Amino acid sequence: AAILLSRQHLRPSLKDAWVRKLILAVKHVKGEGWTLNSSVGSPNWEIITAAAVIESVPLKLFIPISEPGDFDGAKHTASHDFDLTNQPVHYQAVLPDEKNSNKEDHWQHRDRVVLESSDILIPVSVKPQGIMSALLQSAKKNNKLMIDDFQAAYDGSSSKLTYSIDQRRFSDKIVKMKKRFLIHWTRAVNSSWPNENKIDYYRAIINSNNYPRSAFATLKKIINEKLIIASSKNMPGKTPTVSFSGLAPVDIIKLMKWRARYHQMSFEPFGIGIEKETAMSIGISEVQYYGSKSRKNVSSEPNWLTQSIGKITDWRNEDEFRYKGNLDFKNVPVDKLIAVCFSKSEAIELENKTGVKTVWFCD
């Protein structure tokens, strides 16, 4: 059997009818003793795979690869990502066909192969007039057995993640913070955390009434683990670093923007701060900015500590500091830390659970 999902919005939870229906469909497959055909590489297939692993349903996993030599590595990656060591699973490579010209074409070919290889199709949430819908209609013409008991209306809408931050509602604590701390601002992620297996990410979705990888959840994880994972994204030389801002929290608000290209905020009103003197003592360093005529002035600095002023955005406005590699702050005294939250209720919850002093933007 194959369960059919079109691509859904990026931040699902149990509030979404299709998530609840998916769980029921997987349990039905298990109850019937069938093998579930699924795949990896795109979220709509991966959450099906994860649900099958959680319910211990036998899997036939169709893995899109570019070359035959990629198959062993792709199987290893899938096994690690979804904890398939003890899972009854058969792997099937899906190579591009002659018409595949890009990744999107390859994935559509994969969808077709999965459906054609299945005896029973169980649509859960299929976009009308979409690719999956067309494949489903073709399958119906070929007299495939359909089970329509688990369908949820498709809703592909996604809204911007926005905050209403009224300066008139600023708490006294946030106003008084000034520039005493260097703050690492965080945000929601649209996938698993950097040091998290995919199975744990999807398990959290399947068991949560709210999207479980919010900015607040990310901040709690950072504080509980005393670890900030470095990122090489947009960094000079692709060097993994952790970024901080020296700006006072009330001055960072104007830099919090929705980035439509990435379907996420630049950062959100949640952060972990280290008292500036302590931060500098553990190796967090100030970024050196340069313009087209001043590049030579920063040539003595490591590449990862330099930043172009920019042509459209003036990056100096971020007052950025960086740390090379992952930052383990287990040895930083708790009285040198500060956590910043959006609301007072979030701050109180966090302080009670972690012991880290907190401030908040809005009362």
Side-chain angles (χ1 to χ4, degrees), residues 37-332:
N37 287 347
S38 191
S39 186
V40 294
S42 50
N44 55 317
W45 284 112
E46 289 187 341
I47 193 170
I48 296 171
T49 298
V53 173
I54 292 167
E55 290 293 332
S56 299
V57 176
L59 276 168
K60 184 173 183 180
L61 206 58
F62 292 78
I63 302 182
I65 55 173
S66 299
E67 303 288 343
D70 298 337
F71 191 39
D72 286 343
K75 287 193 295 183
H76 177 78
T77 298
S79 179
H80 175 267
D81 286 346
F82 292 92
D83 193 19
L84 298 176
T85 304
N86 299 315
Q87 178 77 11
V89 57
H90 172 75
Y91 298 95
Q92 176 71 50
V94 181
L95 289 161
D97 68 7
E98 295 179 358
K99 297 179 181 179
N100 291 167
S101 58
N102 55 41
K103 184 177 181 180
E104 188 72 21
D105 292 335
H106 193 178
W107 282 1
Q108 290 180 17
H109 174 59
R110 178 271 314 276
D111 295 350
R112 187 177 302 106
V113 170
V114 173
L115 267 68
E116 290 175 352
S117 301
S118 302
D119 304 305
I120 303 161
L121 301 180
I122 309 174
V124 167
S125 181
V126 177
K127 180 181 179 181
Q129 287 79 53
I131 299 295
M132 189 69 75
S133 177
L135 292 174
L136 183 59
Q137 295 305 315
S138 177
K140 287 180 178 179
K141 292 179 181 178
N142 292 327
N143 296 317
K144 293 272 188 181
L145 177 61
M146 301 285 171
I147 297 177
D148 296 321
D149 299 337
F150 305 98
Q151 293 194 74
Y154 178 80
D155 180 10
S157 62
S158 59
S159 58
K160 292 182 179 180
L161 177 64
T162 58
Y163 293 87
S164 176
I165 303 178
D166 187 345
Q167 294 189 22
R168 294 170 297 181
R169 293 180 56 217
F170 277 166
S171 68
D172 290 340
K173 287 188 175 184
I174 207 77
V175 172
K176 293 176 181 177
M177 265 193 71
K178 305 300 180 183
K179 295 186 176 183
R180 181 183 162 197
F181 293 86
L182 300 183
I183 301 175
H184 172 75
W185 297 98
T186 189
R187 63 188 173 213
V189 294
N190 296 328
S191 58
S192 52
W193 282 314
N195 59 345
E196 179 183 38
N197 286 348
K198 289 185 177 181
I199 184 63
D200 294 325
Y201 167 66
Y202 289 112
R203 182 182 283 112
I205 289 173
I206 288 171
N207 287 289
S208 300
N209 289 318
N210 295 293
Y211 182 64
R213 298 298 175 256
S214 66
F216 185 43
T218 302
L219 178 59
K220 287 191 285 187
K221 179 178 187 290
I222 288 172
I223 294 175
N224 287 331
E225 296 180 356
K226 300 293 191 293
L227 180 69
I228 309 176
I229 304 296
S231 173
S232 61
K233 189 175 182 179
N234 300 324
M235 287 294 109
K238 297 296 182 181
T239 303
T241 62
V242 176
S243 293
F244 292 79
S245 174
L247 294 177
V250 294
D251 294 326
I252 203 77
I253 296 296
K254 60 181 178 293
L255 301 179
M256 293 182 181
K257 299 178 181 178
W258 176 255
R259 305 176 74 186
R261 178 181 178 184
Y262 302 108
H263 302 287
Q264 62 184 185
M265 299 283 288
S266 54
F267 36 82
E268 297 177 45
F270 297 90
I272 178 68
I274 303 176
E275 190 272 336
K276 189 171 183 179
E277 185 176 339
T278 301
M280 303 291 277
S281 73
I282 63 174
I284 299 172
S285 303
E286 190 171 4
V287 167
Q288 301 300 307
Y289 295 93
Y290 63 86
S292 58
K293 297 180 180 180
S294 62
R295 184 67 179 94
K296 292 183 179 179
N297 296 335
V298 297
S299 59
S300 61
E301 297 290 342
N303 193 31
W304 59 272
L305 259 184
T306 64
Q307 179 66 51
S308 167
I309 291 172
K311 296 180 179 180
I312 300 175
T313 299
D314 190 336
W315 297 111
R316 291 174 296 184
N317 292 331
E318 290 190 355
D319 190 19
E320 188 176 5
F321 292 71
R322 291 175 185 161
Y323 181 89
K324 185 178 180 181
N326 297 339
L327 178 60
D328 182 334
F329 58 96
K330 291 184 178 68
N331 294 324
V332 175

